[in-house]
Amino acid sequence: QVQLVESGGGLVQAGGSLRLSCAASGRTLSTYVMAWFRQAPGKEREFVASINRSGRNTYYADSVKGRFTISRDNAKNTVYLQMNSLKPEETAVYYCAASSGSYYEIHPSSFHSWGQGTQVTVSL
């Protein structure tokens, strides 16, 4: 099994930026496809971005394309989400997740390991 811990969330003004980190332990990170999801109050958990095992390929939700960047550093067992030009409607708990499948399989059920989440609040 792999354990995931997110960090880097917080309060940011609309239009600002945050970088989230997800640290893995228990298994080598390069074994897994990694992804970020988010869940706002009263809403379903939604896919944000994914990255394949090597880091060569990425996939983004249309709503964040061009503003968010997912990356990974397998030597540090860490995956990142750089979020720019943040919008108030993107206030949510952001979760890191690991999959043994493919980077383009983005349904939550495809991911077997999840972090506890980190709160991102975007103010007006």
Side-chain angles (χ1 to χ4, degrees):
Q1 62 180 359
V2 61
Q3 293 78 48
L4 304 173
V5 179
E6 302 95 336
S7 63
L11 177 65
V12 64
Q13 190 176 12
S17 299
L18 281 175
R19 189 182 74 158
L20 306 183
S21 297
C22 174
S25 62
R27 294 292 183 94
T28 302
L29 187 65
S30 61
T31 302
Y32 306 105
V33 164
M34 300 298 296
W36 289 93
F37 292 79
R38 64 189 178 191
Q39 188 166 23
K43 294 187 176 181
E44 297 289 320
R45 188 166 298 188
E46 69 170 345
F47 169 79
V48 176
S50 64
I51 188 166
N52 75 341
R53 292 167 176 84
S54 69
R56 178 183 296 175
N57 299 108
T58 57
Y59 183 64
Y60 297 93
D62 288 341
S63 61
V64 307
K65 197 171 299 181
R67 297 186 297 115
F68 289 16
T69 303
I70 187 171
S71 62
R72 66 193 299 161
D73 186 339
N74 288 336
K76 294 182 178 180
N77 273 355
T78 303
V79 63
Y80 305 94
L81 184 68
Q82 177 67 45
M83 305 185 293
N84 297 329
S85 301
L86 281 160
K87 305 173 181 180
E89 59 264 36
E90 293 176 314
T91 292
V93 177
Y94 283 69
Y95 297 91
C96 177
S99 169
S100 296
S102 300
Y103 77 97
Y104 49 83
E105 297 175 326
I106 61 171
H107 193 277
S109 65
S110 299
F111 294 82
H112 53 72
S113 299
W114 295 81
Q116 293 294 314
T118 186
Q119 177 70 46
V120 172
T121 302
V122 185
S123 65
L124 294 169

